[in-house]
């Protein structure tokens, strides 16, 4: 595997940007210098993340998300 996370990754298995192997490896996100643990999807080149908006769900049971723009820094969590 590569040591660089992908430009775009989603946590939803229905998304075309979902990758099971990377999700099992563990990808962390720093957004504007702060650690985020509730990121549903991110894109480094476009500079945004999607986070869950509280406990709200859509009609299919998926969490409602909001898009936040800023500096996105993905990294692989240490497997110690």
């Amino acid at each position: 595997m590569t040591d660089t996370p992908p430009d775009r990754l989603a946590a939803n298995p229905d998304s075309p940007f979902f990758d099971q192997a990377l999700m099992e490896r563990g990808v962390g996100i720093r957004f504007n210098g702060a650690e985020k643990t509730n990121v549903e999807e991110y894109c480094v080149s476009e500079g945004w993340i999607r986070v869950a908006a509280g406990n709200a769900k859509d009609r299919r049971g998926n969490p409602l998300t909001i898009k936040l723009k800023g500096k996105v820094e993905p990294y692989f969590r240490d497997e110690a």
Side-chain angles (χ1 to χ4, degrees):
M1 281 195 180
T2 179
D3 289 334
T4 331
D7 178 61
R8 189 167 178 176
L9 185 64
N12 184 351
D14 296 331
S15 171
F17 300 104
F18 177 76
D19 187 342
Q20 182 67 34
L22 290 175
M23 296 304 289
E24 288 175 358
R25 184 172 178 188
V27 177
I29 300 293
R30 271 186 221 94
F31 181 69
N32 290 337
E35 183 73 24
K36 294 289 186 181
T37 58
N38 61 342
V39 176
E40 296 288 326
E41 185 175 2
Y42 73 84
C43 183
V44 176
S45 62
E46 295 176 13
W48 57 262
I49 62 171
R50 285 196 178 276
V51 294
N55 292 331
K57 305 274 187 204
D58 67 4
R59 62 183 175 199
R60 294 179 188 93
N62 299 320
L64 290 179
T65 60
I66 57 173
K67 185 187 280 189
L68 303 173
K69 294 188 176 209
K71 185 177 180 185
V72 180
E73 302 173 61
Y75 62 92
F76 288 117
R77 294 190 176 119
D78 294 330
E79 298 177 7

